[in-house]
C-alpha cells in the first residue's frame, strides 16, 4: 500500500471584494491606480488581451503604455526568460554575463548603422532611471551645466530629476526644486497653428520662435560674448507620448537641430515610449532625419517582461575616460533576465520586417479611425505614425477638448459588456493629451487585420454609448 500523504488544503483565495479591501488598506495610493474610481483586477494576459476573473477578454489598445509591442506573454520572449532562469538568473552587476554584452553590442551596432555614429550603452532598470543617467551624462559632458530645454506636454518620468524636465507642475508641486527645464511649445499643429497655416509652415514657425531666444542676451539663455548657452541640452520625445501621441511636422526636428548645433546644445531623444518599432522604426527619431547625441529607451526593449532600460550616448559623452567606472550604478541594472528578454525581443524585431508591417497595419487602423471620425462628431482629430495612433475627443465645434466625454468613453470600455458575435468584450484604453482628452492607441505590433476590425467595432460601440 502507498503511504498516505498528508495533503494540505491550499488556503482559500481572496475574493475580488476582499482583495480590493486589502488594497485599500495596505497599498499606497501614490501610484496611478486610484486615478480610477473602481480599479480593475486582471488575472491573465495573452496576445492583445487581458482577462478578468470571469474570463472576459479586454482588448488592450495601449499595451502597458507601449511596453508590450510583441503582445502579452509572447511565447518566444517568455521562453528566452525561462531558459535564462535555468542558466544564470542572477548576478551582481560588477560581473559580466553574455546577454548584457551581446545586447549592448546589438543596440550600439544598430544605432551606428542607422545614424553613422559610434557609441556605448549604459543599462538601468526603469525609464525614469535611464533619464537620470542621461542627465548625468549631459551634466558631466557640459562641465556641470545643469539646465536643459524640454517640451510643453513632454513626459520623462517621475523621479526627481525626470519630473524636473517633465512639463507638469503637478508632478513637482510637493517635492521641492531640482533644476526645472525651460519648457518650449511642441509643434502641435491641431491645437497650436494659426488658422490656414500648413503643418510645414507651422514647423518652421515654431523653430523660429525658439531661435528668437538667442537673438539677444536679454532673452535669458545666451551669452553672445562668451558664445555660450546656459542650457546644456534639449530633451525631446519625437512623438509625444503622455502628451497625446502628437506627431510633429516633418521638417520640425531637422530645422530645430540646425539651431541646436549653432548654439552648442545637445539633443537628447527620449524613445522610452516610441522606441522598438512603435512607429515603424527602431527609434521614432529616424523618421525625421536627425542624429541625436543621446537616445534613452526602456519599456518595449524586453517586451515589458522584465524591467530594463538604458541610454545610448555617442562616444565623446560616454567613453571610459569621461564616464569612468562608478559614474552611476544600480543593483538590478543589466539584470540577466532583462538582458535575455531584450536580446530575444531584438531578434524577433530584426527577423520580422516590422518596418513594413507596422506602417501597413498602422495605415489600415488609421483609415478605420478616419471612418469613425466621420460617424462620430465627438472626434476632433485622428492621426498616427506607424502604430502610434491618436483620437482627440472634442466638443461640438470639433476643437474644444472634452475631458468628460473622454472619461465616459474609458468607463464604458472598462465595463466589459460589449457584445460582438455573441461574446462579451471590454476595451483597455489610455488617456493622454494636454487636456486629458486624447485616446492614445498603442496596439500590439503583432495584431492581425481581423483584430484591428474587432478593435474598431469595439471603439465604435463605446463612442456610440458615450455620445448618446
Ligand atoms: N519617458 C517617456 C517618453 C515615457 O513614456 C515614460 C513612461 N511613460 C518615461 C519616460 C518613464 O519611464 P518609467 O515609467 O519606466 O520610469
Amino acid at each position: 500500500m502507498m503511504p498516505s500523504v498528508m495533503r494540505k488544503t491550499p488556503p482559500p483565495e481572496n475574493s475580488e471584494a476582499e482583495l480590493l479591501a486589502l488594497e485599500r488598506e495596505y497599498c499606497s495610493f501614490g501610484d496611478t491606480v486610484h486615478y480610477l474610481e473602481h480599479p480593475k483586477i486582471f488575472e491573465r494576459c495573452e496576445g492583445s488581451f487581458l482577462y478578468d476573473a470571469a474570463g472576459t477578454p479586454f482588448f488592450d489598445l495601449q499595451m502597458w503604455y507601449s511596453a508590450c509591442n510583441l503582445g502579452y506573454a509572447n511565447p518566444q520572449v517568455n521562453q528566452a526568460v525561462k531558459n535564462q532562469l535555468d542558466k544564470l538568473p542572477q548576478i551582481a552587476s560588477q560581473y559580466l554575463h553574455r546577454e548584457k554584452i551581446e545586447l549592448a553590442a546589438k543596440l550600439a551596432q544598430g544605432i551606428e548603422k542607422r545614424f553613422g555614429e559610434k557609441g556605448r550603452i549604459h543599462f538601468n532598470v526603469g525609464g525614469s532611471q535611464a533619464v537620470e543617467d542621461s542627465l548625468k551624462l549631459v551634466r558631466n559632458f557640459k562641465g556641470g551645466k545643469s539646465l536643459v530645454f524640454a517640451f510643453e506636454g513632454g513626459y520623462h518620468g517621475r523621479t526627481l530629476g525626470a519630473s524636473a524636465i517633465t512639463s507638469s507642475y503637478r508632478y513637482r508641486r510637493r517635492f521641492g526644486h531640482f533644476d526645472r527645464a525651460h519648457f518650449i511649445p511642441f509643434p502641435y499643429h491641431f491645437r497650436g497653428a494659426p488658422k490656414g497655416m500648413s503643418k510645414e509652415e507651422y514647423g518652421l514657425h515654431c523653430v523660429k520662435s525658439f531661435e528668437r531666444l538667442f537673438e539677444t542676451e536679454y532673452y535669458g539663455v545666451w551669452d553672445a560674448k562668451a558664445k555660450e548657452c546656459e542650457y546644456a541640452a534639449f530633451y525631446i520625445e519625437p512623438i509625444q507620448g503622455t502628451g497625446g501621441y502628437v506627431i510633429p511636422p516633418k521638417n520640425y526636428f531637422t530645422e530645430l537641430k540646425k539651431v541646436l548645433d549653432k548654439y552648442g546644445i545637445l539633443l537628447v531623444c527620449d524613445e522610452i515610449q516610441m522606441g522598438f518599432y512603435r512607429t515603424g522604426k527602431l527609434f521614432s527619431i529616424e523618421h525625421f532625419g536627425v542624429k541625436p547625441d543621446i537616445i534613452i529607451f526602456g519599456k518595449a526593449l524586453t517586451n515589458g517582461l522584465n524591467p530594463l532600460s538604458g541610454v545610448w550616448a555617442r562616444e565623446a559623452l560616454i567613453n571610459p575616460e569621461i564616464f569612468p567606472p562608478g559614474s552611476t550604478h544600480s543593483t538590478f541594472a543589466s539584470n540577466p533576465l532583462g538582458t535575455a528578454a531584450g536580446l530575444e525581443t531584438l531578434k524577433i524585431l530584426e527577423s520580422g520586417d516590422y518596418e513594413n508591417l507596422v506602417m501597413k497595419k498602422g495605415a489600415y487602423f488609421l483609415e478605420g479611425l478616419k471612418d469613425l471620425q466621420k460617424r462620430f462628431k465627438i472626434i476632433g482629430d485622428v492621426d498616427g505614425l506607424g502604430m502610434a495612433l491618436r483620437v482627440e475627443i472634442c466638443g461640438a465645434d470639433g476643437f474644444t477638448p472634452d475631458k468628460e466625454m473622454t472619461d465616459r468613453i474609458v468607463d464604458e470600455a472598462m465595463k466589459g459588456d460589449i457584445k460582438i458575435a455573441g461574446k462579451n468584450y471590454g476595451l483597455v484604453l489610455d488617456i493622454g493629451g494636454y487636456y486629458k482628452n486624447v485616446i492614445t492607441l498603442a496596439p500590439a505590433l503583432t495584431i492581425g487585420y481581423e483584430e484591428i476590425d474587432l478593435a474598431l467595432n469595439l471603439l465604435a460601440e463605446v463612442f456610440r454609448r458615450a455620445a448618446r
Side-chain angles (χ1 to χ4, degrees):
M1 226 167 83
M2 294 282 284
S4 67
V5 179
M6 284 284 286
R7 273 187 208 283
K8 268 196 192 153
T9 37
E13 284 198 343
N14 288 305
S15 70
E16 189 158 315
E18 285 164 340
L19 284 174
L20 288 172
L22 287 170
E23 194 273 342
R24 267 195 303 279
E25 193 170 351
Y26 294 111
C27 292
S28 149
F29 279 28
D31 53 23
T32 54
V33 167
H34 287 270
Y35 277 2
L36 285 183
E37 203 179 327
H38 304 292
K40 175 93 188 155
I41 300 177
F42 286 108
E43 295 268 338
R44 194 167 75 74
C45 61
E46 194 179 352
S48 286
F49 293 91
L50 290 171
Y51 296 85
D52 65 10
T56 309
F58 283 69
F59 202 134
D60 196 328
L61 290 176
Q62 57 97 23
M63 298 308 289
W64 208 351
Y65 330 118
S66 195
C68 306
N69 285 357
L70 297 173
Y72 287 124
N74 181 288
Q76 257 175 277
V77 189
N78 278 9
Q79 192 55 51
V81 170
K82 285 178 193 163
N83 295 347
Q84 192 68 32
L85 262 178
D86 290 336
K87 197 178 97 180
L88 180 77
Q90 294 121 327
I91 186 172
S93 46
Q94 81 251 43
Y95 306 115
L96 287 170
H97 59 283
R98 169 188 299 279
E99 293 73 18
K100 170 195 170 168
I101 300 169
E102 288 182 354
L103 182 61
K106 231 183 211 316
L107 283 164
Q109 286 162 0
I111 291 170
E112 192 170 346
K113 192 173 107 198
R114 286 167 175 83
F115 299 98
E117 190 75 43
K118 158 113 186 50
R120 291 171 192 266
I121 304 287
H122 189 103
F123 290 114
N124 209 320
V125 186
S128 306
Q129 290 94 325
V131 168
E132 298 286 335
D133 287 345
S134 77
L135 287 166
K136 280 190 175 179
L137 285 165
V138 164
R139 288 173 176 218
N140 182 51
F141 183 69
K142 286 287 193 177
K145 215 173 254 188
S146 60
L147 299 182
V148 303
F149 295 110
F151 281 121
E152 290 176 5
Y155 185 95
H156 301 288
R158 306 260 185 125
T159 53
L160 287 174
S163 27
I165 62 167
T166 291
S167 63
S168 300
Y169 172 48
R170 179 165 68 88
Y171 303 148
R172 292 189 294 272
R173 189 172 60 82
R174 291 163 296 124
F175 310 116
H177 278 286
F178 192 85
D179 288 329
R180 179 190 189 277
H182 186 330
F183 295 106
I184 304 295
F186 191 81
Y188 185 172
H189 184 262
F190 176 69
R191 292 240 151 253
K195 241 196 160 48
M197 190 180 269
S198 74
K199 256 192 128 173
E200 301 289 292
E201 285 165 346
Y202 187 56
L204 217 52
H205 167 86
C206 290
V207 173
K208 286 225 167 87
S209 26
F210 172 64
E211 192 168 17
R212 178 186 160 277
L213 284 174
F214 298 84
E215 255 172 46
T216 148
E217 69 177 68
Y218 293 93
Y219 294 151
V221 307
W222 176 245
D223 180 341
K225 284 193 181 152
K227 297 215 175 316
E228 208 182 296
C229 181
E230 196 174 10
Y231 290 75
F234 200 139
Y235 271 71
I236 66 164
E237 291 164 88
I239 315 292
Q240 292 199 310
T242 307
Y245 284 23
V246 188
I247 301 158
K250 220 43 201 173
N251 60 345
Y252 177 76
F253 283 114
T254 37
E255 295 301 321
L256 181 74
K257 185 67 165 67
K258 289 180 197 163
V259 179
L260 301 184
D261 287 347
K262 190 165 159 193
Y263 297 103
I265 300 159
L266 298 171
L267 178 66
V268 183
C269 188
D270 181 342
E271 293 278 359
I272 291 168
Q273 190 154 164
M274 293 297 154
F276 304 107
Y277 292 93
R278 169 57 48 205
T279 69
K281 300 276 184 198
L282 179 62
F283 295 121
S284 62
I285 192 66
E286 291 171 62
H287 287 285
F288 303 100
V290 296
K291 199 166 35 171
D293 296 288
I294 293 177
I295 298 173
I296 316 169
F297 48 84
K299 293 193 199 279
L301 169 60
T302 60
N303 202 40
L305 196 54
N306 203 80
L308 190 72
S309 64
V311 288
W312 169 90
R314 62 183 171 80
E315 190 67 4
L317 281 81
I318 202 172
N319 69 70
E321 283 77 48
I322 195 165
F323 205 64
S327 297
T328 183
H329 161 84
S330 177
T331 297
F332 295 124
S334 58
N335 61 85
L337 295 180
T339 48
L343 257 186
E344 192 62 26
T345 301
L346 286 191
K347 215 181 279 171
I348 298 170
L349 289 172
E350 277 169 6
S351 61
D353 194 19
Y354 278 86
E355 194 149 335
N356 230 327
L357 272 176
V358 170
M359 293 318 277
K360 277 195 187 141
K361 288 184 199 173
Y364 182 80
F365 208 134
L366 185 58
E367 273 315 300
L369 294 176
K370 284 183 179 160
D371 285 342
L372 292 182
Q373 189 182 18
K374 284 181 205 139
R375 285 170 56 195
F376 295 99
K377 285 205 163 51
I378 56 169
I379 304 178
D381 183 51
V382 297
D383 203 358
L385 185 61
M387 291 177 84
L389 301 147
R390 75 192 309 272
V391 179
E392 183 149 358
I393 305 299
C394 299
D397 59 359
F399 185 74
T400 307
D402 194 341
K403 179 184 180 301
E404 260 175 43
M405 178 69 75
T406 317
D407 289 341
R408 222 179 306 154
I409 289 167
V410 173
D411 287 347
E412 283 298 336
M414 260 297 142
K415 285 183 181 164
D417 64 348
I418 311 165
K419 255 204 170 45
I420 304 246
K423 196 169 159 184
N424 272 344
Y425 288 94
L427 252 188
V428 178
L429 300 175
D430 198 28
I431 300 178
Y434 298 19
Y435 302 90
K436 298 285 161 241
N437 71 318
V438 181
I439 297 170
T440 50
L441 301 172
L445 309 183
T446 47
I447 196 173
Y449 285 96
E450 276 177 24
E451 281 183 323
I452 296 178
D453 290 340
L454 173 60
L456 288 164
N457 284 335
L458 293 169
L459 281 170
E461 179 56 16
V462 290
F463 291 150
R464 191 189 66 77
R465 289 185 188 184
R468 76 183 159 208

